[in-house]
Amino acid sequence: MPEGNTPLYQPSNPGVSPTFRFLESVNHSYPTNLRDYHDLYTWSTNNIDKFWGLVWDRTNIIGHKGDHVVDNSALLSSNPPWFQDARLNWAENMLHCRSKTKTALIQATEPTSAHSVPRIRQCSYAELYDLVAALVSALLQHGVRPGDRVAAYSSNCIENVAACLATTAIGGIWVSAAADFASEGVLERFEQVKPTIIFAVDAVVYNQKVHQHLPKLSQLLAGLAAKDKGYSPKVVIIHTIPHPEDRSHWQLGWLGWDALLEEGRKCKLGLTPQGEIEWERLPFDAPLWILFSSGTTGKPKPIVHRAGGMLIQAKKEFSICGDLQPEDVFFYYTTTGWMMWNFLVGGLSSGSSLVLYDGSPLRDPSLLWKLVDDLGITIFGTSAKYLDQLSKVYRPREHHKLNTLRHIYSTGSPLAPPLFDFVYEHIHPNCLLGSITGGTDICSLFAGMNTALPVHRGEIQCRMLGMAIESFSPMGKQNPPDEEGELVCVKSFPCMPLGFWPLPGFGSDENVAAANARFQQAYFTEYEGVWYHGDHIIITRSKSGNGGGLIMLGRSDGVLNPGGIRFGSSEIYDVLDVCFSNVSKSEISLVDALAVGQKIDRGVDERVVLFVKLSPGQTLSDDLEKRIKGEIRVRRSPRHVPARVIQVPDIPYTLNGKRVEVLVKKIINGAPLSSVNPATLSNPECLEFYRDIGEALRQEVA
């Protein structure tokens, strides 16, 4: 049975929460008599056009709404248009506050040996607006137009947020990669979308050390040039860390951040005579940004998100569900390559202050909690992996006041029940612990926090309003409460991606058709007509009128998720193909490989296990294992490095010639061989080896 019948947290006065105020708006606007969250959730998913139209009205979205919302009868897999008459600009809604005294962004950088305390930078909403205005002019001066891609290979800094806002202010499409990504991983992303301009930092701090970034940037640019001789993006360098600026790696034509701003302040393109930004208001379904989520085959998937969908979801999640206020100081530990960075920036729509942290979260486990007290952080976002590691080494409540905290958010992987206990016992006894789930695919939430509802041990509070998610059986039937199944969404939702890049009008008919086929394959082939998300879940019985919470059981597909960082097995296979497939006869030949995730830390996290098949008579040596790990580290990132590399006699394949990653993942995590249909495999006999090695692997992490 699911755990958590006794609330760990109970809201003091849910009747005055934004959720119940919204419920009253529904009852006032329509002939309804909704009484609790369950009623509201049911109404919101049965009347998606009325619900989302009312969200627009009640959250004060800036722009022209129009009369159309969505066709309720449209098949979800047809990806119906939303708010067809609407015109809006996402960045305009982020910068509606113009206060000179209200802080918009606080940047905190991890201390180094030369600077023993975190470096703090701040800018007000007025200063951020002026910064974005100068960037808008500069981008227009350099020829950026609606639909052009602008990218960042950057750390989590004020400049990165400003560049994103300026790009989207003029209708450009934002693309982001974290500075800790290896250049080859970024190349696989950027070569697909060909950004016009690339913003990059010159150095980053991690583990209290300054790491030069320009050599990685040069490798990326060389790779892009090799892929397309005629392609040459403009490069802008951001100098953010107080260390001697090293221009020895600069290339001819690169432009400094300050020089770019100066250009913008002189030319004043895209501004009114009074210096106001002339926002490019585009359709609701105009592309806003491209996020990359790796599948299990091929290159990372370039997921295109619509501007209106990202805006209205942020408004709903923060203003109605999370009660984010202008007085809040909102922090999320994230890199710029994780969707939680986009989620965090969406907090500007509520006029709150955002904290951007760059550096290691656990080299000094007290650092982030000291920032809570020093900066007055009210909402603290992190990952389940971080909370698990923290629970083994540090008790924040024993060392810090933490009086300002009112919410703690956790995502990236399932939050185990004991970690709920840790938060309430050792961080804050009376905060809302919001375990949340969604993903890069929707860049928002399917289930998560709500200030009108209690928190139950081991459970996500609720399904989010307007998101018609269910648990499906393997046969495509809706499961009853408390039964395991696959997370699906059965009705249209506005944050559903527009598709994979290239969209129509941005590529050849052949490439657009291939991208659309890949999109349909990713989400709509498992169950006809509904969105398949790839998460294994339980929807619990309704408690306290919540309509049922969620228990996350982990990924059900072949995506790897160590430490809450998702990537595809293909990112590992590509390295192996490049480095170990075309070797001389005197060297050991790696014939095949299979990478899967094994659950560790009581299911809170997983580690990557790489199975390798070598040529007959050859043995995996310590040297070869080190070489494999080393190449993956250099060409991808430390997060991609497998915890174990194990030689196997064979790799299982389906009759259609596909690796069976999901099946092997289930077996090494304890599923019996009796659950396998051997008729679907070309070599089912090899599974006995994985059953036996799975027992040994589970003993290692027990």
Side-chain angles (χ1 to χ4, degrees), residues 381-434:
T382 185
S383 66
K385 179 60 177 176
Y386 168 82
L387 291 174
D388 182 58
Q389 291 178 324
L390 184 74
S391 70
K392 299 170 183 176
V393 298
Y394 199 66
R395 302 286 186 265
R397 194 177 169 195
E398 296 177 5
H399 307 281
H400 310 277
K401 295 179 180 178
L402 309 180
N403 293 333
T404 58
L405 270 183
R406 66 186 191 96
H407 294 181
I408 296 175
Y409 297 157
S410 170
T411 193
S413 57
L415 188 64
L419 293 177
F420 280 73
D421 302 335
F422 170 75
V423 167
Y424 283 105
E425 291 174 12
H426 299 294
I427 298 179
H428 200 292
N430 193 35
C431 67
L432 186 156
L433 174 55

Side-chain angles (χ1 to χ4, degrees), residues 179-320:
D180 67 340
F181 283 9
S183 60
E184 287 197 19
V186 182
L187 173 62
E188 288 182 340
R189 289 155 170 81
F190 286 8
E191 69 171 316
Q192 297 186 66
V193 299
K194 290 186 168 51
T196 301
I197 294 179
I198 298 176
F199 289 90
V201 291
D202 59 353
V204 296
V205 172
Y206 198 84
N207 278 341
Q208 301 179 358
K209 296 180 180 178
V210 175
H211 302 269
Q212 298 299 321
H213 186 61
L214 296 187
K216 291 169 64 177
L217 174 64
S218 296
Q219 292 171 2
L220 167 65
L221 295 172
L224 290 171
K227 295 285 185 179
D228 186 344
K229 300 295 185 183
Y231 170 57
S232 180
K234 187 72 178 180
V235 175
V236 178
I237 304 300
I238 304 166
H239 180 62
T240 64
I241 297 172
H243 69 99
E245 188 172 5
D246 179 10
R247 294 209 169 199
S248 62
H249 295 284
W250 276 57
Q251 296 182 14
L252 184 65
W254 288 5
L255 188 65
W257 174 265
D258 291 338
L260 182 71
L261 291 180
E262 185 62 25
E263 287 183 0
R265 288 171 179 141
K266 286 181 179 178
C267 68
K268 299 185 183 302
L269 294 176
L271 306 180
T272 68
Q274 294 75 33
E276 302 289 323
I277 299 171
E278 294 180 332
W279 307 100
E280 187 74 38
R281 289 189 177 180
L282 296 171
F284 188 94
D285 286 350
L288 177 70
W289 50 48
I290 299 172
L291 275 61
F292 292 88
S293 178
S294 297
T296 55
T297 59
K299 294 179 180 179
K301 299 176 294 187
I303 306 172
V304 188
H305 291 284
R306 63 190 91 200
M310 293 296 92
L311 174 60
I312 203 168
Q313 271 286 73
K315 285 285 193 177
K316 180 203 70 177
E317 292 171 351
F318 292 134
S319 298
I320 297 174

Side-chain angles (χ1 to χ4, degrees), residues 123-141:
C123 72
S124 69
Y125 270 92
E127 290 169 334
L128 180 59
Y129 186 96
D130 291 343
L131 184 58
V132 172
L135 287 171
V136 162
S137 299
L139 291 177
L140 290 172
Q141 175 76 5

Side-chain angles (χ1 to χ4, degrees), residues 96-154:
H96 61 87
C97 177
R98 298 284 298 277
S99 171
K100 294 181 179 180
T101 58
K102 172 64 179 174
T103 300
L105 302 175
I106 306 169
Q107 179 184 330
T109 304
E110 182 185 7
T112 65
S113 57
H115 298 84
S116 59
V117 296
R119 182 190 179 210
I120 304 295
R121 300 170 61 209
Q122 299 190 28
C123 72
S124 69
Y125 270 92
E127 290 169 334
L128 180 59
Y129 186 96
D130 291 343
L131 184 58
V132 172
L135 287 171
V136 162
S137 299
L139 291 177
L140 290 172
Q141 175 76 5
H142 283 277
V144 178
R145 297 295 182 264
D148 288 347
R149 279 73 65 208
V150 174
Y153 188 14
S154 175

Side-chain angles (χ1 to χ4, degrees), residues 445-525:
L445 309 180
F446 274 132
M449 71 289 187
N450 193 287
T451 57
L453 297 174
V455 174
H456 294 272
R457 185 175 187 263
E459 290 188 26
I460 296 175
Q461 284 179 285
C462 60
R463 292 174 283 182
M464 301 298 278
L465 296 173
M467 309 297 281
I469 65 170
E470 300 291 351
S471 165
F472 267 25
S473 72
M475 301 303 295
K477 301 296 184 181
Q478 182 177 327
N479 286 325
D482 296 340
E483 188 167 313
E484 296 183 15
E486 299 297 330
L487 190 159
V488 299
C489 192
V490 299
K491 293 187 179 180
S492 297
F493 51 97
C495 60
M496 180 175 161
L498 290 167
F500 294 160
W501 189 265
L503 299 178
F506 291 96
S508 68
D509 291 345
E510 181 181 1
N511 289 340
V512 170
N516 184 60
R518 192 181 182 198
F519 181 78
Q520 292 291 323
Q521 175 71 27
Y523 304 114
F524 295 107
T525 56

